[in-house]
Every structure is written in structure tokens, then in C-alpha cells.
Amino acid sequence: ALPVGNLSCSLVLLFSYHFHGRANLKKSSDIVFLSISPFSSFFSTVNKHKPWIETSYHGVITENMDTVLLDPPLVALDKDAPVPYAGEICAFMIHGQEAPFEAVVLNKTSGEGVLRAKGLVDCETQKEYTFIIQAYDCGAGANGVSWKKSHKAVVHIQVDDVNEFSPVFREAVYHAAVTEGKIYDSILQVEAWDQDCSPQYSQICNYDIVTSDTPFAIDRNGNIRNTERLSYDKQLRYKIMVTAFDCGQKRATESVAVHIDVKPVCKPGWQGWNKRMDYEPGTGSKQLFPKMHLETCDGPLSAVRAMVELQTSHIGKGCDRETYSEKSLQKLCGAASGSTDLLPAPSASTNWTASLLTDSGRDSDLIFRFDGRQASNVPERVVPQNLTDQFTIATWMKHGPSPGLRAEKETLLCNSDKTEMNRHHYSLYVHNCRLVFLLRRDFTQVDTFRPAEFHWKLEQICDKEWHYYVINVEFPAVILFVDGVTYEPYLVTDDWPIHPSSIDTQLTVGACWQGGEVSNPRFTQYFRGSLSGLTIRPGKIETQKVISCLQACKEGLDINSLESLGKDIKFHFNPAQSVLVMEGEDLESVNTAMAKVSYINSRQFPTAGLRQLHITTTVQCFGEDICISIPDIKAVVIVLPPSEPRITIAGSDRLVKPSADLRGAMGVAPFKELRITSTVTKSDGVPFSAGGAAFKTPGVLEVMHNLDYCDVLVIGEELNPEHESLEIHHSSLIGKHLDATNSTSGISIYGVDSMAHYEEALRQVRYRNWRPATLTNRRFRLTCSELNGRYTSNEFNLEISVLHNSAPVEHVNHMAVQSQYMRPVHHPLMVHTLNSHISGTPPAATVVIVICIAALVVIVVLGIYRLHSTHQDGSKREEDGAKDPKMDWDDSTLTITVNPMEVREHYTKNEEDDEEEEEDDEQAGDMSAESGDSDETEEEEDEREVKEGKQKSKLEWDSSSITY
């Protein structure tokens, strides 16, 4: 039995070992029990019952902790208690899900145990665990033989969250827009979230606005609202900072920015335009509204119509036009010659307009104002004769209704009997805002009715605006042009022809002359309004092209890049380009087109000042006529003052000519060395443009522009037409827009043309005097003008001194006259900066020394002439003196007089003396070449002069006339 007992003890120990190694429990026990099967009934008798535990457990574990709180507690009971081993609990086994938990027996006797985590448990990774647990007793003995296990119990473990994460906003920044003046329940909603797993810590329970003193509030759901009405004018944008709290009151680490834009109350209309636009003269076409667009407040529209109006009625005669004289404008526009200006500028020869009122301050635009008390009789010498069946009357007129005087005629132009009778031969008058032209023939005709009165009823006649009226008469047809538009008379009345008589007629402007049938001859039917450029041209009618040119505006509206406009855009200009109408169906196309509307002024020297802009817009919606009201726009264009040019006339101011030159067929050319320049002064940084080129160079700039007249006036006694004249040959004006008139007072060259052409014409002016014996000098004064006297030149005075009984010798003062080879070249529309001074000018002492040396050399040469020349008679001397009419004499430094010499009779000098004479003559020729200024080569001309002088005369030096 002992061996068996010993064997039994060893087997029990082996069982105990394998029990604690539960992984092989069943297998090991089977082997043991098989080997000790004879003793199994004994152990079974000792361990009769299985352990007992609850059927389910619920536990809670806090994340990042290891202890699990179970409900009910983990306790295993065994009915075999208090039997040692059999009634004790040795282990708890966990099955399933690879749960990160383990069960530990705290007390084998009481069966208490604890459930704990093998490692840290993260709620954000897994919130719950479920697994199976069983209890094992200690078996029948200390070796754990015949152990038993309980039934399976379900354990459900929940992981409790820890508030370890802060709220985070879903957007980095929030944007919203509100309309001013409204209170919103919710402008926008911000949203934050939390990474914690539990509702307590993962939910956002509160939001708060961090920024202080803001007109906004936020609720617990993140809705932001305004607490007061916002104003666009007060503040355009608000920026507020918002934070969030979770339900554990953990605050967001970073606040979020919320931008709220305040929009003005949506009002349909044009936006993005400036009320003022400055226009620099010479800059061409400039956009008026480059960023303008139409706001319709999302209203559905089918068509947009916009009208842009440029209001220039206060500028000149209705707009900025060229202010040249009427004759110059007609020449510029290619009108037929022969017109008579009945309202010229007052002067000595046109004094009948001196008593009339004129409007000043309009940039030399000659305007006569009639207030019902002024009129003027046109001299008979000026009145055009024989109007025939074709003639033209043209005038600018500004006229309005006269309250209380509507029944009275207002006469612009009237040709009536001067005495005895009161017959009106032709007249132009306004009656009840109707324009009437009366034409009664006064030469022999058949005794029948003929058309005599032509009536037009037009709004323009009494609208108090400037209009250009042209009446073309091709009797019996009469056509009226108003601003280039043709109008037929609405009424034509017939009358008897006027019987021929010997009574003189009187042409009157501003009224009608009543010389007969009254005790005192007087003016009647006074005109009330303004007139300018009243002309009459007999024998020809004006063409449509010329009429359009004469009344054309130089400023107006324009469209940049017409080809870039949308195909659905329709536009229309009025003839003056002061009104532009645009129509389109697409709003974007209309906005693009309006951004291209521009202002342009093509005048080189425009009239400065303000121009009003007025835009009216209508919007048509689908199925409706007008659905949105668009307010009108009023803006201004400010035309900046142009830089005023300074016109300068320069050249030789004194000429000494032999009398033979004045008697010559061509006479003398007083202004052959004339130069005309024009400069403007620009300030620093102000751009200047001309001919498409822009400059910012400060200082004095030379510019090229036109002139409209140059007058040469005689100073002193007027010319005597019996033996002297001042004239220009018509061939000198061919190819130029110039014409000329002359009288005993001088000569006037007029027409709009370049300064270069005026220079060429003035150089061809000739003065002749075929009886110069008693003439010592003649003085002339030259002035030139641009824009009818708006800009005038300096007064250039020239004196011609007559040299009697002398041979022609020319001397040019090089200090006063610029060499023709040094003259600057002028190109149209080119600008050159002029130097304010010329460096390198020789000092006065040097000039005196040069003059003295030249005088000594001349004396030596003249001495040689006297020794080696023969005499000639007076007639031969006079003939030779007229051979070179182009020489000018400048006696600013010295005077040379020619001593009469006898005709050479004896010539006895030997060949050696002749060679010396020729050598000295060459030296004299070189000196003359330095001071000559003729069209031929100086050296050849001076050499020829010396040779001719050697053969013809002997010169004598008059020392009394030398000036130092």
C-alpha cells in the first residue's frame, strides 16, 4: 500500500502543477485520471459541486485607469465550502473578444475577485467591451485534482470618458453679409466639435463672442444675430471673435474669426461712377465711366435703354467750336469765295458794328447781343449787289420767346427803301417763334404773283439755344438748314413784284430801316437775341458738306473700341454727338458698353470750364413695360485750361534799300528774313501731348499750331496808291488755305493755316514805290493771331530806309540775324524744348575788337579801289545800282556811302599792279562772304560783287558816318 500511496502523492503533485497551468488542464487531468482511474471515485466524492457566479455583470472603467467597477461584485460561491480546496475558488477564466482585461482572485475562501485592465483603455478607441467569465474551484485537494468550473457569465464593460479634448471649430474663418437697416434672427451659424467620446464631453453646450462692444449676440447653438440696425455709412465690415465650450466647460483652444459685411440697402441704379472727371487738353478720347455698372437688385429684366447727354449750351455758340473769324472758317471748310460778313469785328474799316453790344469772355468768339434797342446800318460799299436767283444767307442765332411782344416782328436782316417809301426788298425776321424770309423781286418781270414769304415753324427758334441757320435760295425754291438738317417751309405766300424805282435801299442788321411814310426816319422791328457770323453770299448756294463743317462741334461723346461692343448693343448719336442712346438686352453687355463711353475735344486750345453730363435709364422687365426705376445720374467734365501759346515774330527790323530797288518791277521784300515761333510754358510734372507723343519735361516748349490772320499795317501816312503799293502776288497763296486783302492802310493775310505757310506768304509780300525821290523811310507793323485774336503775337516793327543815288551793298548784322544754316527745322505736331539761354556768347569787348578790325580792312580795300579804279558817270551808276534788288543793308554797326566815280577812261597800270589788285579783291571777297546772307553761295556772290565793283565804280569811305 505504501508504494501506492507514494504514487498517489506524486500524481497529486503532478495534477496540482498542471492545474495552475490551465492551458493544458483538461488534457493533463485526463491523463492523470486515466492513470489513476482506480482512485477517481474517491476524489469525486470530496469535490461534489461546481462554483457558482452571477449570470451577468456590468462594469465601468474610467479611461486611462485599470480598475473595473462591477455590478454586482465579482464573487464566486461553492457549496462544497467549507471543505478545503473543494469549497475554495482558485481562478476566474475570461473567454472571447481578446478582451484587454484579466480577473484576479482576491480571497479563495470568500470567492471574491477583481476585474482589471491589462493596459490603458481609450474611450475614443472603444467605448464598450463584452466577454464571458467562469470561476474555477481548487479541486479535491491541494494538488487541484478534480476541479470544477462554474457556468458562463456575460460581462459587459463600459469605458467612462475623460474630458481630455477641447472644442474645435469646423471652419477656419466665417463670412456673412447683411443689408443695412435690418434686424436678423440669424445672420450665420458657427459650429464646433469635440473629439471626446462621451456625450458629456463631446457635445458643445455653449458659444460666446470674445470681441467686446459689438452689435452682435450668439446663442448656444452658434447662431449669430445683430442686436441693432447696422449702417453702411457708419461701418462697412465687422470682425468678431467667437469661442466654444463643451458640456464639461472646457473652452476651445483657439477662437474663430467671423467677418460680417454690411451692404447698403439695394437700390436699383448705376454704381461705381465718379461725379467729376478732369480732361487734359490734347489727350484725345477719355473714358467717362470705366468702372460703372447697373445694379438691378436681381430683378428680372428684358431690356435696358440708357441715354447719355453732354450739356454744352453755355460754351460758346452751343458747344466748343473753332472761334476763327467767319471768313477764315469758310476758307477752312472750302466754302465758295465772295461772301460778305455783315457783323465783322469793329475796326476802322468796319465801324458799323462798333455801337452794337458784344458778349465778352467767350475766347474771342465774336457774339453780338441785341436787346431791342440796337441796330446798325450796313454801309452801301459793303452791301452785296445783284443777288440774282441764287444766294445764301447764314447766321448763328440764339433766340427765346419775348413775353408780351409775340405779335411784333423781330428782324435780323432787312433791305428796305432808304427814303420816300417803306418797301422791304428782302428781310429775315422772327414772328411768333416762326422764322420768315421775305424776298420781293425788284427788277423787270411779268406782272404775276411770285413766291415772296417763306415760313418755318421750329422749336429751335425759341429754345434759347445757339443754332446755325443757312438759307439757300434758288428762286423760287428756298431751303432752310438748321444745324445741318434740312427743313422745307411749311407755308409759302405769294406777292406782287416790286416795281422798279430809283430809290436807294438800306441794308440793316438788328432791325428794319423805315425811311419813308414817317416824319422821322427810324429803326423798327428790333431783334431781341444774339447773332454771330451773319453773312450773305450772292450768286452761289452753300453745299451740305460746307454747312456741316461750319457748324461742327469740336467736342462730344465718343465710344472707344466699337468693335468690342456686344452684338446685341444698339447705339445712336445725334448729329452734334452730344447725345448718345444705347439699348441692349443683356445687362453685362450694357455695362461693358457704358464703360466705353468717352469725352473727346479735338481743339488744340479748347475752351476751359465745366460740361454737364446727364444719364437717364429705363429698364423693361418680362411682360411689363417698366418694372424698375433707375435714378438719373448727373456728373461733370472739367476741361482744364490749355497752356497759352506765346507767338513770337522775329527778323531784321531795319532795311536800307537803294531807291532803284523800290522802283523795280518786284520792289523789295521787307519780311524775307521773317521767323514765326510759338512756345508754351509747362510746370513741373505736368504732361504735355502733341501729335500723339507725350512729354513731362518742364520748362519752355516750342509748339506748332495754326494762325488765322497776319496784318501788316503802315505806320504814319497811309500809302499813296498813285506811286506806291504793298501787295502779295496771288501765286504765293496757291496751295495754302490763305487769302489776302490790301488797302492804303496795309495788307491782311487771313485763313486758317500753319505758321510755316504764313512765314512763306509774308516773305513774298512786296513793297514798291516808283517815285521814291522824296521818300526817306517807310515803317510797317506786323502782328499775327490765332483763334480770331484769342492769342496774338508781339508787334514786330520794321523800317525801310531809302538810299538815294547809291550802289547796292548788302550788310547783315550777324549778331541780330540768325544764320539760315542754323535755323531750327519745324515739323508739324512736333515739340522741341527751347533752351532758356544760349551759352558761349562772346563778351562785348571781343565784339568791339572784331568790328574795329573789320573796319580797318574795309578801309584798306576801299583805298585800293580808289587807286586802281576809273570814274563812271551818274547814269551808269544808277543803272548798275539796280542790278541786285535782293540786297539788304544793315547799318547797325557802320555806314558805307558810295562816292560817284567817273567812267574809267585810262587804264595804265601794269600787269604787276593788276595782280596785286586781284589779290586784294579776293581778300575783300572773303570778308564779304562772312557777312552775306543771300540765297546763292556766299563766296561766289561776294566774289562776283567785288569783280563787278572793280569794273564799275570806285568806292569812297565816309569816316563821318562810322558808328562805334
Side-chain angles (χ1 to χ4, degrees):
L2 181 59
V4 174
N6 292 336
L7 179 61
S8 299
C9 292
S10 63
L11 290 174
V12 170
L13 291 174
L14 180 61
F15 168 78
S16 176
Y17 171 78
H18 287 287
F19 178 79
H20 289 286
R22 291 185 299 271
N24 298 320
L25 176 61
K26 185 174 182 179
K27 184 177 180 179
S28 299
S29 61
D30 289 341
I31 296 173
V32 171
F33 286 123
L34 286 174
S35 61
I36 60 173
S37 58
F39 308 100
S40 59
S41 59
F42 172 78
F43 291 109
S44 300
T45 304
V46 176
N47 190 8
K48 296 180 180 180
H49 300 94
K50 297 186 292 185
W52 177 90
I53 57 177
E54 298 289 345
T55 58
S56 63
Y57 293 90
H58 293 276
V60 176
I61 183 173
T62 302
E63 62 177 343
N64 302 326
M65 303 292 289
D66 59 353
T67 302
V68 180
L69 299 179
L70 286 178
D71 181 26
L74 183 59
V75 176
L77 301 176
D78 197 322
K79 291 183 179 182
D80 293 324
V83 177
Y85 301 107
E88 295 178 349
I89 302 301
C90 282
F92 292 98
M93 284 291 295
I94 295 176
H95 307 281
Q97 289 192 354
E98 298 183 358
F101 297 96
E102 62 179 359
V104 179
V105 178
L106 297 179
N107 190 324
K108 294 181 179 182
T109 303
S110 61
E112 293 179 276
V114 64
L115 189 64
R116 61 189 181 190
K118 296 179 180 179
L120 298 179
V121 179
D122 188 3
C123 177
E124 286 72 35
T125 303
Q126 188 169 342
K127 297 180 180 180
E128 297 177 348
Y129 294 91
T130 301
F131 51 87
I132 302 299
I133 190 171
Q134 287 180 296
Y136 290 82
D137 60 16
C138 295
N143 54 7
V145 177
S146 189
W147 51 264
K148 294 185 182 293
K149 57 183 179 181
S150 67
H151 60 273
K152 296 179 179 179
V154 178
V155 180
H156 181 76
I157 304 295
Q158 179 179 346
V159 181
D160 274 356
D161 188 21
V162 175
N163 196 4
E164 56 183 332
F165 293 100
S166 300
V168 177
F169 286 94
R170 296 191 180 276
E171 302 289 341
V173 62
Y174 289 87
H175 293 276
V178 296
T179 303
E180 64 174 343
K182 293 180 62 176
I183 296 294
Y184 290 83
D185 294 333
S186 176
I187 297 174
L188 80 161
Q189 183 181 23
V190 297
E191 184 180 3
W193 67 288
D194 197 312
Q195 296 183 39
D196 290 316
C197 64
S198 64
Q200 180 181 2
Y201 299 131
S202 65
Q203 292 184 357
I204 307 300
C205 286
N206 194 20
Y207 293 91
D208 193 16
I209 296 177
V210 179
T211 307
S212 60
D213 299 329
T214 60
F216 300 98
I218 190 170
D219 60 16
R220 60 184 303 168
N221 295 321
N223 294 305
I224 299 177
R225 60 183 176 86
N226 56 321
T227 58
E228 62 184 51
R229 300 182 188 277
L230 305 179
S231 172
Y232 175 81
D233 297 330
K234 181 179 179 181
Q235 191 166 346
L236 302 179
R237 169 176 285 194
Y238 291 89
K239 178 182 178 181
I240 59 176
M241 303 301 295
V242 176
T243 190
F245 296 88
D246 60 19
C247 293
Q249 293 303 306
K250 194 175 186 68
R251 179 174 174 172
T253 305
E254 295 182 359
S255 301
V256 70
V258 179
H259 297 279
I260 301 177
D261 295 326
V262 180
K263 291 185 176 181
V265 175
C266 185
K267 299 176 181 179
W270 293 101
Q271 297 182 2
W273 56 278
N274 294 324
K275 190 173 183 180
R276 166 175 172 164
M277 190 273 289
D278 291 342
Y279 182 82
E280 178 76 19
T283 55
S285 181
K286 184 172 182 179
Q287 288 178 274
L288 295 174
F289 315 108
K291 298 181 180 179
M292 188 170 72
H293 63 278
L294 182 62
E295 176 61 60
T296 61
C297 297
D298 299 327
L301 55 91
S302 60
V304 178
R305 182 180 186 272
M307 182 175 69
V308 185
E309 182 180 2
L310 179 68
Q311 299 174 349
T312 60
S313 58
H314 62 290
I315 302 295
K317 294 191 291 288
C319 67
D320 208 1
R321 294 181 170 92
E322 296 293 5
T323 55
Y324 296 116
S325 66
E326 198 64 27
K327 279 190 176 182
S328 297
L329 283 175
Q330 289 177 358
K331 186 76 173 177
L332 183 65
C333 291
S337 60
S339 67
T340 300
D341 191 355
L342 301 180
L343 285 176
S347 66
S349 59
T350 58
N351 56 3
W352 70 89
T353 60
S355 62
L356 300 179
L357 299 177
T358 58
D359 280 348
S360 59
R362 293 188 179 271
D363 297 328
S364 303
D365 198 0
L366 188 60
I367 295 174
F368 292 91
R369 182 166 53 88
F370 298 86
D371 60 0
R373 295 190 297 269
Q374 289 84 25
S376 178
N377 286 328
V378 181
E380 187 176 355
R381 60 180 173 82
V382 179
V383 177
Q385 304 296 327
N386 300 326
L387 293 182
T388 69
D389 287 340
Q390 282 190 340
F391 62 92
T392 298
I393 297 176
T395 186
W396 286 94
M397 182 178 72
K398 180 180 180 181
H399 181 265
S402 301
L405 301 173
R406 295 180 60 83
E408 184 177 348
K409 295 180 180 180
E410 300 179 50
T411 304
L412 288 73
L413 179 68
C414 180
N415 184 268
S416 60
D417 290 333
K418 183 178 291 188
T419 58
E420 299 183 24
M421 303 181 71
N422 189 29
R423 298 176 301 175
H424 294 185
H425 296 257
Y426 62 87
S427 66
L428 180 64
Y429 61 90
V430 175
H431 189 209
N432 288 335
C433 289
R434 290 166 174 80
L435 186 66
V436 182
F437 177 62
L438 170 68
L439 177 61
R440 299 186 66 188
R441 316 317 301 263
D442 56 356
F443 29 79
T444 304
Q445 300 181 31
V446 294
D447 194 12
T448 60
F449 272 167
R450 300 297 301 272
E453 280 191 339
F454 304 85
H455 300 249
W456 292 272
K457 184 179 180 181
L458 304 173
E459 295 180 357
Q460 295 93 320
I461 297 172
C462 287
D463 64 358
K464 297 182 180 181
E465 302 290 346
W466 280 104
H467 299 284
Y468 188 55
Y469 298 83
V470 178
I471 296 178
N472 272 349
V473 179
E474 279 187 299
F475 196 79
V478 178
I479 298 177
L480 172 67
F481 292 85
V482 181
D483 298 332
V485 180
T486 306
Y487 295 94
E488 297 285 346
Y490 81 94
L491 175 64
V492 178
T493 60
D494 296 341
D495 202 349
W496 293 101
I498 295 178
H499 293 289
S501 68
S502 59
I503 302 175
D504 293 334
T505 59
Q506 176 64 60
L507 184 61
T508 308
V509 176
C512 200
W513 178 256
Q514 186 174 1
E517 302 178 358
V518 291
S519 57
N520 295 320
R522 58 186 174 86
F523 291 115
T524 61
Q525 302 175 6
Y526 284 99
F527 177 71
R528 294 171 178 83
S530 297
L531 297 176
S532 179
L534 177 59
T535 62
I536 185 169
R537 175 183 289 107
K540 294 183 180 179
I541 62 172
E542 210 62 272
T543 64
Q544 175 81 45
K545 181 179 179 181
V546 172
I547 294 173
S548 299
C549 175
L550 290 172
Q551 62 90 36
C553 288
K554 295 299 181 179
E555 66 177 339
L557 299 173
D558 191 20
I559 297 180
N560 286 337
S561 303
L562 285 173
E563 62 277 1
S564 63
L565 293 181
K567 295 182 179 179
D568 63 324
I569 296 295
K570 300 177 182 178
F571 64 92
H572 171 71
F573 286 100
N574 68 335
Q577 283 195 223
S578 60
V579 177
L580 168 63
V581 178
M582 281 190 175
E583 296 181 359
E585 298 178 356
D586 179 61
L587 180 60
E588 190 64 30
S589 298
V590 173
N591 290 336
T592 302
M594 288 295 291
K596 297 180 181 297
V597 177
S598 305
Y599 170 81
I600 186 171
N601 194 316
S602 60
R603 294 188 66 190
Q604 188 174 7
F605 305 105
T607 302
L610 178 146
R611 277 78 164 162
Q612 296 280 353
L613 282 169
H614 189 204
I615 301 179
T616 56
T617 310
T618 56
V619 176
Q620 182 177 351
C621 296
F622 293 98
E624 301 181 28
D625 292 336
I626 298 177
C627 57
I628 300 176
S629 177
I630 305 296
D632 292 352
I633 284 181
K634 291 185 178 181
V636 295
V637 177
I638 303 296
V639 178
L640 302 178
S643 298
E644 296 190 0
R646 180 180 180 182
I647 306 171
T648 304
I649 303 175
S652 298
D653 58 358
R654 185 178 182 187
L655 300 177
V656 177
K657 290 293 183 180
S659 58
D661 287 0
L662 274 65
R663 287 196 301 268
M666 297 298 296
V668 296
F671 306 107
K672 75 171 187 177
E673 295 298 332
L674 182 74
R675 298 187 307 277
I676 304 176
T677 58
S678 182
T679 58
V680 296
T681 302
K682 304 298 290 186
S683 59
D684 293 349
V686 178
F688 177 76
S689 64
F695 305 89
K696 283 193 175 181
T697 304
V700 179
L701 303 172
E702 183 177 349
V703 294
M704 300 299 296
H705 57 76
N706 291 328
L707 300 176
D708 59 351
Y709 70 80
C710 285
D711 290 340
V712 181
L713 300 178
V714 177
I715 302 176
E717 296 183 1
E718 292 188 355
L719 299 175
N720 189 339
E722 295 182 358
H723 60 78
E724 61 180 336
S725 67
L726 184 67
E727 59 189 5
I728 182 172
H729 197 273
H730 178 72
S731 61
S732 302
L733 304 179
I734 296 177
K736 305 177 178 66
H737 295 288
L738 299 178
D739 208 342
T741 59
N742 61 343
S743 66
T744 58
S745 300
I747 186 172
S748 177
I749 302 175
Y750 61 91
V752 181
D753 213 332
S754 65
M755 292 187 294
H757 280 180
Y758 267 93
E759 275 188 1
E760 295 175 7
L762 287 168
R763 290 173 184 173
Q764 300 301 319
V765 172
R766 317 296 296 190
Y767 171 69
R768 290 186 62 206
N769 191 318
W770 44 95
R771 296 179 188 174
T774 59
L775 183 66
T776 57
N777 59 61
R778 260 298 182 191
R779 292 190 300 152
F780 302 96
R781 176 174 298 155
L782 171 62
T783 57
C784 292
S785 156
E786 163 68 333
L787 296 175
N788 201 22
R790 178 178 175 184
Y791 305 116
T792 56
S793 69
N794 61 309
E795 293 183 350
F796 178 74
N797 296 320
L798 171 68
E799 180 178 343
I800 300 178
S801 297
V802 182
L803 191 63
H804 296 283
N805 300 326
S806 63
V809 179
E810 179 178 24
H811 175 76
V812 180
N813 183 357
H814 287 271
M815 292 185 293
V817 182
Q818 185 179 5
S819 171
Q820 63 176 341
Y821 300 110
M822 296 298 292
R823 182 170 181 185
V825 178
H826 300 284
H827 298 283
L829 299 179
M830 293 296 292
V831 182
H832 308 281
T833 303
L834 301 181
N835 295 328
S836 58
H837 65 280
I838 300 176
S839 60
T841 303
T846 304
V847 176
V848 173
I849 292 172
V850 172
I851 294 174
C852 293
I853 294 174
L856 290 175
V857 174
V858 171
I859 292 172
V860 173
V861 173
L862 294 179
I864 295 173
Y865 281 170
R866 188 171 185 179
L867 291 175
H868 297 284
S869 299
T870 59
H871 299 283
Q872 57 182 354
D873 57 12
S875 61
K876 180 68 175 178
R877 181 175 62 253
E878 181 177 349
E879 178 182 355
D880 294 338
K883 287 185 177 180
D884 192 359
K886 296 183 178 179
M887 293 184 178
D888 293 345
W889 182 265
D890 185 352
D891 60 349
S892 60
T893 57
L894 54 87
T895 303
I896 298 176
T897 59
V898 179
N899 189 26
M901 297 296 177
E902 297 179 355
V903 178
R904 183 173 57 189
E905 298 177 353
H906 304 285
Y907 184 71
T908 58
K909 300 301 292 182
N910 56 28
E911 183 178 355
E912 180 180 353
D913 293 335
D914 291 340
E915 292 175 357
E916 292 177 0
E917 181 179 318
E918 290 175 0
E919 181 178 355
D920 293 334
D921 289 346
E922 290 176 0
Q923 295 177 357
D926 293 339
M927 292 177 55
S928 300
E930 293 177 358
S931 61
D933 193 33
S934 65
D935 294 334
E936 298 178 351
T937 305
E938 285 101 317
E939 293 180 1
E940 294 177 359
E941 182 177 313
D942 290 329
E943 184 177 356
R944 183 172 64 252
E945 289 176 4
V946 172
K947 290 180 179 180
E948 290 176 357
K950 180 181 69 174
Q951 296 172 359
K952 290 185 295 185
S953 64
K954 180 165 61 179
L955 304 180
E956 181 179 353
W957 179 261
D958 185 1
S959 61
S960 64
S961 61
I962 299 178
T963 303
Y964 293 93

